[in-house]
Amino acid sequence: MTKKTRNRSIALLSALLLTGGLFASEGRGRSEVSLHSVKTSPLLEAELRYLEHRPEYDYPIPVIVRTSRAGAAQLLASRPDVRRLSSIGSYVTRMTAAELREIMRSDEVRYVALDAVVRGWNEDRPGRGGGRADRGQDGDASSPSSYLRAMGVDLAHRAGYRGEGVTVAVFDSGMSQHPDLRGKGRLKASVDFTPPYWGQESKKDELHPDQYGHGTHVAGIIGGNGHSSRGQWSGVAPEVGFVNVRVLDSEGKGSTSRLIEAIEWVIERKDAYGIRVANFSLGHPPVNPYLEDPLCRATAALMDAGIVTVVSAGNIGRTPDGMTIWGGIASPGISPEVISVSALNNNQTATHSDDVATSYASRGPTVDYFFKPDLTAPGNRIVSLLAPDSVLARDYPELHVGEHYLELSGSSMATAFASGVAALILEANPELSPDLVKLIMLVTAVKLTEPHMLEQGAGLANAWTAVQLASQLDVRKQRLKKAVTPTWRLDGELVSAGGAFAVADRVVYTPLVDSPDFWGDGNPWTDSLSPFDSSDWLDGLFHPDSVVWIDSVVWIDSVVWIDSVVWIDNLIFSDSVVWIDSVVWIDSVVWID
């Protein structure tokens, strides 16, 4: 990563976020082939080997080529279709297998990745999406207030936090001119990176409406004001501003390279539009290690630019026949830097005792064997804005809720909730860096009883404790100005911030938790993080009747099951592998039995 990334304000957290490389495979029964052993992914390498023996089938493959020096441009500049991605030092082009083998011999070529298709994570296709296919299995639609009350958003609203002064860039299929998104100055800008516009900007959003319907739904979760329902279906931060970044077409598809160009566009204009949060309710399955993944490198540039980056963990949680998948965290959610969010089923209630993981959402670990997801948020049968005349509105009339709303499921929806919480945190304290926003969200998350640790991450996003903690954090002095209460009551249940979380291959706890009653004893913030070596946390977590993404699955346009080889038999599920029993936590950490 960049030198700028390594020199962020919170040194310890940065070190944890940037921990690189794979866990040692010795003694773990995993494949001995490192993802870093060649200049491309195992998936593309297998394709190249196949085509080398069948040259009659060789065809131009869309790729992103990362180079080490400016001189490498000579290898690619003569090609008629080449494009430069300056933020990640790469070029976009199409090359045959023979041409790729030739350029990969150059010392100036660092890595070659597929220019993969990106999609929104709500699609109604088993193994890739979490839409209507999950309605029967994952319960009924939730009541209007249960989403927000579960995260304490209603309490944050009563305290005056509604996202004012914060702009969210929504990378998606566009935003329609829905009544719930209107408001003076709310739409800061709109740009389209789908054909034939390729980066054309319009400040009225008339040039490129949401033809698919996904982006409007996501935007409503983040910041819909509930106008069409008299407040019944409002979003998390109903006063945020928006930058509409259309990267998915009318079929809900886009390309990695065009998404990276859109990221570069946002970075260049972040100050002009006041962009503080970026929402990615999209991605592609994991085929590259995060240090080599183009989307991960581009989202790292967003974080370096001071933009909190919230991404979907994906919906690669089960096979078409219902078998559980582990290790399906999608790109760019595999990056330890971004905030990766998975989908929760709250069973129509605001309280947490009946919360369960959804069947379709991606589970950890990542392809680099890092701990993910970071957080969970409501994602099952979520009612939000309907984009008129969109594909989703037209094809699924049974999902309509009245005239202006639509019900969808998926990690896409959960990601939007987390982005709204990030906006509330930044309203509470605009001086926070992206690292500190992530830290606050992880430290304050609510540990849930039922979901597995690789399904819920640090726990459920907790807006109420997060905004309180953010408001009392003096960034310049790196101290809490006064103590913060990490607990609150929800319909008779005690809601407690967890105080400990995992990042990459480490567990972090905070002595800021002085007692179950308050946080903050005047210690400097930077002295209040301590790492705990948890390099063995991955052992013994998987049921033998499940599969692991990185050993048994490849995905190009659909899920293809190459074989059913699961990691060695020592990866046996144990009832003791739960939050409380599986990790040594320090006594000062607030916990719920």
Side-chain angles (χ1 to χ4, degrees), residues 275-291:
I275 301 170
R276 299 297 310 275
V277 180
N279 185 91
F280 292 84
S281 291
L282 48 74
H284 65 72
V287 293
N288 307 293
Y290 94 92
L291 285 172

Side-chain angles (χ1 to χ4, degrees), residues 248-267:
L248 304 180
D249 61 18
S250 59
E251 297 181 356
K253 298 187 299 182
S255 72
T256 294
S257 61
R258 294 298 183 181
L259 177 54
I260 293 173
E261 289 175 342
I263 290 171
E264 293 176 344
W265 184 94
V266 164
I267 291 174

Side-chain angles (χ1 to χ4, degrees), residues 452-516:
H452 191 282
M453 62 189 295
L454 295 178
E455 293 173 324
Q456 66 167 302
L460 175 67
N462 178 358
W464 177 226
T465 306
V467 296
Q468 292 182 85
L469 184 58
S471 67
Q472 297 304 321
L473 179 58
D474 188 324
V475 175
R476 297 178 185 180
K477 295 182 179 180
Q478 298 183 334
R479 296 175 183 271
L480 289 180
K481 291 179 282 189
K482 66 178 183 180
V484 175
T485 303
T487 60
W488 45 282
R489 288 279 176 181
L490 176 63
D491 296 345
E493 286 187 5
L494 181 67
V495 179
S496 297
F501 58 90
V503 177
D505 60 350
R506 296 288 187 272
V507 172
V508 178
Y509 70 93
T510 170
L512 283 173
V513 184
D514 299 309
S515 75

Side-chain angles (χ1 to χ4, degrees), residues 153-394:
V153 172
D154 58 325
L155 300 177
H157 287 179
R158 291 177 201 167
Y161 300 110
R162 301 175 64 84
E164 183 179 4
V166 179
T167 300
V168 180
V170 181
F171 293 81
D172 217 290
S173 61
M175 290 166 52
S176 70
Q177 292 184 335
H178 195 285
D180 289 23
L181 297 177
R182 293 175 185 167
K184 185 177 181 180
R186 291 198 73 192
L187 180 62
K188 308 297 183 181
S190 183
V191 65
D192 196 332
F193 280 87
T194 66
Y197 304 107
W198 304 134
Q200 187 171 350
E201 182 177 353
S202 170
K203 292 191 176 180
K204 290 190 175 180
D205 197 32
E206 296 175 354
L207 181 63
H208 31 79
D210 184 3
Q211 298 175 358
Y212 183 56
H214 185 271
T216 300
H217 194 274
V218 165
I221 296 171
I222 297 170
N225 60 23
H227 174 82
S228 302
S229 60
R230 298 183 179 180
Q232 185 180 30
W233 301 109
S234 64
V236 177
E239 294 182 10
V240 294
F242 286 108
V243 170
N244 174 24
V245 188
R246 186 171 185 242
V247 292
L248 304 180
D249 61 18
S250 59
E251 297 181 356
K253 298 187 299 182
S255 72
T256 294
S257 61
R258 294 298 183 181
L259 177 54
I260 293 173
E261 289 175 342
I263 290 171
E264 293 176 344
W265 184 94
V266 164
I267 291 174
E268 290 175 1
R269 293 159 179 80
K270 67 181 181 67
D271 294 330
Y273 300 131
I275 301 170
R276 299 297 310 275
V277 180
N279 185 91
F280 292 84
S281 291
L282 48 74
H284 65 72
V287 293
N288 307 293
Y290 94 92
L291 285 172
E292 305 291 0
D293 188 285
L295 267 184
C296 291
R297 299 181 72 86
T299 51
L302 269 175
M303 294 280 286
D304 288 341
I307 299 172
V308 179
T309 305
V310 188
V311 306
S312 172
N315 286 1
I316 312 172
R318 66 183 183 202
T319 67
D321 59 2
M323 183 177 287
T324 298
I325 299 173
W326 296 94
I329 302 295
S331 172
I334 59 174
S335 169
E337 296 201 55
V338 302
I339 301 172
S340 306
V341 187
S342 192
L344 175 77
N345 179 3
N346 68 349
N347 277 309
Q348 305 182 66
T349 69
T351 52
H352 302 145
S353 57
D354 59 352
D355 290 351
V356 296
T358 54
S359 61
Y360 46 80
S362 293
R363 299 168 180 84
T366 72
V367 293
D368 297 288
Y369 308 111
F370 287 164
F371 185 96
K372 283 283 180 170
D374 293 305
L375 294 168
T376 191
N380 194 65
R381 302 194 64 182
I382 304 300
V383 177
S384 185
L385 310 187
L386 181 148
D389 302 320
S390 67
V391 171
L392 291 177
R394 182 183 68 244

Side-chain angles (χ1 to χ4, degrees), residues 15-86:
L16 294 171
L17 290 173
L18 293 174
T19 301
L22 299 174
F23 282 139
S25 60
E26 181 179 356
R28 294 182 183 274
R30 305 188 186 118
S31 170
E32 296 297 328
V33 178
S34 168
L35 291 175
H36 297 278
S37 62
V38 293
K39 289 185 177 182
T40 188
S41 69
L43 175 61
L44 184 52
E45 176 67 21
E47 183 73 1
L48 295 180
R49 290 179 180 177
Y50 175 86
L51 293 173
E52 284 173 342
H53 293 88
R54 295 166 179 82
E56 67 273 19
Y57 297 124
D58 201 358
Y59 55 90
I61 302 171
V63 291
I64 299 173
V65 182
R66 184 165 64 87
T67 60
S68 58
R69 295 190 296 272
Q74 297 176 3
L75 298 170
L76 301 165
S78 61
R79 304 187 65 84
D81 60 344
V82 71
R83 307 193 322 269
R84 171 77 168 159
L85 298 176
S86 58

Side-chain angles (χ1 to χ4, degrees), residues 414-425:
T415 304
F417 278 110
S419 289
V421 172
L424 298 182
I425 291 171

